Amino acid sequence: NINIEKFKDVLIPNIFLTLGWLILFIDTVILFYNVGTYQEFLASIGSVLGCMVLCPKLLREFKKVLDTYYTPIAFDEECSKLDKIYSTRLESKSESIPSLEEVQNLKFNSVSFDYSGYGLNDKVLLDRVDFEIKKGETLGIIGLPGSGKSTIVDLITKVIRPRQGNVSINNCDLNKLNTQYLRELVSYVSGDFQLMDDTIEKNITFPSKLDEYKYNEALNKCNLKDLIFALPDRDETNAREANLSQADIQKVALAHAFYKDSSIIILDDATSKLDPI
């Protein structure tokens, strides 16, 4: 409950000014007892006064450093952003189901959702939506921007919860399922995937350890081998330094999803930058 702004604007300047004056006082006393003549003492006092004049400037520079680097103020701002995410809906206190048998279906049961209370608008995005996807099936959802496609994704990954109805896997309500386990079941590939500052291999395998068979299978599925073999350090090339096209970045994102080999794969405009062929 620390008031960060007060800490920045009041406490920090006062602490350093007090320390500065204390050091100067001690320095003056030491000088007084260690100089041979009154003239030498006056000369020393002149140096001390010069330091006192410089103190405000040093303090201003110190505050610039605080504002530039990762400070308690910046930390507080980031925590506020996280609080907004957490406030969307608190986790269920009864997440007692840590795992499921092999995923057989994903079902929306009369799911309704709107963003009232989220600081956005009161428009109903989903109104009694029902669908079921069984193992091995694919469902495509087409709609204009703002029609609720991304909301469906957020409901599946439990970023938000339904206002009415429920989402279930194997007829188990997601509210009762451990969130971390759920997100291991799901791979999500967006249209604007961001590469890590690491090798192409790490971008595909992270956070898992390298499995050569799964890795090569993912490369083949995404037609990435020719691209990688053309690079000077092959898959040890830094992904951000490889000057990959937007299409190739999407292929890396897809390879990452295939390598993870999740039971549910969500593709959100994941091929928007690839040509049809």
Side-chain angles (χ1 to χ4, degrees):
N1 295 325
I2 294 174
N3 187 319
I4 297 297
E5 290 302 320
K6 186 175 181 181
F7 179 75
K8 175 185 175 184
D9 297 330
V10 179
L11 279 180
I12 289 179
N14 286 342
I15 287 171
F16 279 90
L17 282 172
T18 302
L19 286 174
W21 281 105
L22 181 61
I23 291 169
L24 290 172
F25 174 76
I26 294 171
D27 190 43
T28 304
V29 172
I30 293 171
L31 285 171
F32 181 79
Y33 283 102
N34 286 279
V35 294
T37 67
Y38 183 67
Q39 287 76 15
E40 290 177 355
F41 175 70
L42 288 177
S44 301
I45 287 295
S47 300
V48 172
L49 290 173
C51 291
M52 291 170 60
V53 171
L54 289 174
C55 270
K57 179 174 175 58
L58 292 173
L59 180 62
R60 284 196 299 271
E61 296 304 316
F62 178 77
K63 288 187 69 175
K64 286 181 184 177
V65 172
L66 282 179
D67 292 337
T68 302
Y69 294 98
Y70 206 78
T71 65
I73 296 92
F75 180 76
D76 185 64
E77 290 173 354
E78 297 305 317
C79 285
S80 297
K81 293 177 184 177
L82 287 174
D83 286 340
K84 290 179 181 178
I85 296 173
Y86 292 140
S87 66
T88 56
R89 182 68 69 87
L90 295 176
E91 284 288 350
S92 169
K93 299 299 183 183
S94 59
E95 290 181 318
S96 57
I97 303 176
S99 63
L100 299 170
E101 298 295 329
E102 186 176 7
V103 173
Q104 298 297 329
N105 64 64
L106 168 68
K107 187 184 298 184
F108 271 52
N109 302 294
S110 298
V111 173
S112 298
F113 185 83
D114 64 77
Y115 283 100
S116 59
Y118 285 73
L120 299 175
N121 55 55
D122 296 339
K123 178 184 176 183
V124 176
L125 291 179
L126 302 178
D127 185 17
R128 297 186 297 276
V129 173
D130 288 281
F131 65 80
E132 179 180 6
I133 314 171
K134 295 180 180 179
K135 180 181 177 182
E137 293 182 344
T138 301
L139 173 68
I141 300 176
I142 301 172
L144 294 171
S147 60
K149 302 186 298 298
S150 295
T151 300
I152 288 175
V153 173
D154 289 344
L155 287 164
I156 293 172
T157 53
K158 240 172 36 168
V159 173
I160 54 177
R161 310 294 176 86
R163 297 293 191 190
Q164 295 178 344
N166 68 83
V167 184
S168 64
I169 296 177
N170 290 4
N171 297 316
C172 172
D173 192 320
L174 294 191
N175 286 339
K176 299 179 181 178
L177 193 62
N178 178 274
T179 302
Q180 184 61 41
Y181 170 71
L182 168 66
R183 290 171 187 172
E184 290 173 359
L185 289 178
V186 178
S187 287
Y188 170 68
V189 186
S190 70
D192 56 351
F193 180 77
Q194 300 297 313
L195 294 169
M196 295 190 303
D197 187 16
D198 210 326
T199 65
I200 292 176
E201 177 191 301
K202 287 291 186 183
N203 271 270
I204 294 172
T205 62
F206 181 84
S208 306
K209 293 182 179 179
L210 175 64
D211 180 309
E212 290 284 355
Y213 176 78
K214 287 174 59 180
Y215 179 67
N216 283 295
E217 186 178 34
L219 294 182
N220 286 328
K221 284 182 178 179
C222 297
N223 195 25
L224 274 170
K225 280 201 166 180
D226 290 342
L227 167 71
I228 288 174
F229 281 121
L231 296 172
D233 296 320
R234 298 195 175 183
D235 48 15
E236 291 300 313
T237 303
N238 185 293
R240 291 187 181 177
E241 297 173 1
N243 293 321
L244 300 179
S245 67
Q246 291 299 310
D248 290 333
I249 291 173
Q250 283 198 327
K251 290 180 183 179
V252 171
L254 288 166
H256 179 265
F258 294 143
Y259 184 85
K260 186 179 176 185
D261 195 25
S262 300
S263 300
I264 300 169
I265 298 178
I266 300 172
L267 307 175
D268 187 1
D269 287 336
T271 59
S272 59
K273 297 178 177 67
L274 299 176
D275 61 52
I277 294 174

